[in-house]
Amino acid sequence: MTLAEDISLLIRVPLFSDLSSDHLRLLAFSAIRLELPEGRVLFRKDAAAMSGFVVMHGEVEFVDMDKPEPLTLGRYGPGSLLGETALFVETRRPATARAATDCDLVEIDRNLMRRMLNEYPDVAARLHTKLVDKLAGSVAEVGRVKSRLDAIIYPPARAN
């Protein structure tokens, strides 16, 4: 892929969608390009996570390898950002990720992200707002799931 193609795909990543073309160019230029053949493991569950990966082409699947038969937890195609949290804080991988098809990815290192946040406070502010909004959405979704589970566990009393 060319730098221009990388930039046009990075802007589709929700976290990066408000970044300027200069900031996207810096990300694309500084990221590490990876080719992953079908079946190859990208990272393993519980491994230290120090970077995020953007799927540029192909699909990556998260799998639970602790089962007798690997269980697919999700599939992620072009424009997906895997390991978003690792761009900002030390964390561990939640599942094993492997190429469901031949894949092209870019790896964005936490140090690159920190450099961008330090050198460009406007980028830091925009990303902060996006992450806060995403967290609020996640908390609201957990509340909705809790309500549904409560309705199953504690069904309303029926009138006789």
Side-chain angles (χ1 to χ4, degrees):
M1 293 185 101
T2 67
L3 187 61
E5 290 171 325
D6 288 353
I7 291 168
S8 69
L9 195 53
L10 286 173
I11 201 165
R12 290 178 37 200
V13 175
L15 184 66
F16 304 141
S17 64
D18 291 338
L19 297 184
S20 72
S21 59
D22 287 341
H23 296 129
L24 290 168
R25 185 175 292 105
L26 175 61
L27 270 182
F29 183 76
S30 302
I32 299 167
R33 280 142 190 80
L34 303 171
E35 292 180 9
L36 211 61
E38 181 178 349
R40 176 78 48 89
V41 170
L42 177 62
F43 52 77
R44 297 200 181 278
K45 180 180 179 180
D46 294 326
M50 296 176 276
S51 59
F53 298 89
V54 177
V55 180
M56 306 302 273
H57 178 306
E59 286 190 328
V60 174
E61 61 184 354
F62 277 26
V63 292
D64 182 349
M65 302 295 279
D66 296 335
K67 307 284 184 202
E69 281 291 315
L71 174 66
T72 299
L73 304 172
R75 286 176 73 109
Y76 306 92
S80 298
L81 174 57
L82 312 175
E84 177 178 276
T85 304
L87 293 174
F88 305 101
V89 296
E90 290 183 30
T91 187
R92 299 227 166 256
R93 301 293 182 192
T96 296
R98 68 178 176 199
T101 65
D102 290 345
C103 294
D104 294 319
L105 303 109
V106 292
E107 181 177 12
I108 300 169
D109 184 84
R110 183 180 314 130
N111 291 328
L112 169 60
M113 187 58 63
R114 283 187 178 156
R115 190 175 109 217
M116 280 192 69
L117 297 176
N118 287 330
E119 291 180 17
Y120 304 101
D122 58 315
V123 170
R126 279 184 260 160
L127 293 180
H128 178 266
T129 298
K130 281 195 177 269
L131 291 170
V132 166
D133 291 347
K134 185 174 182 178
L135 179 59
S138 295
V139 168
E141 181 62 24
V142 168
R144 288 188 291 275
V145 169
K146 180 189 180 304
S147 295
R148 284 185 253 155
L149 288 173
D150 284 348
I152 293 168
I153 296 169
Y154 310 109
R158 295 179 195 218
N160 291 342

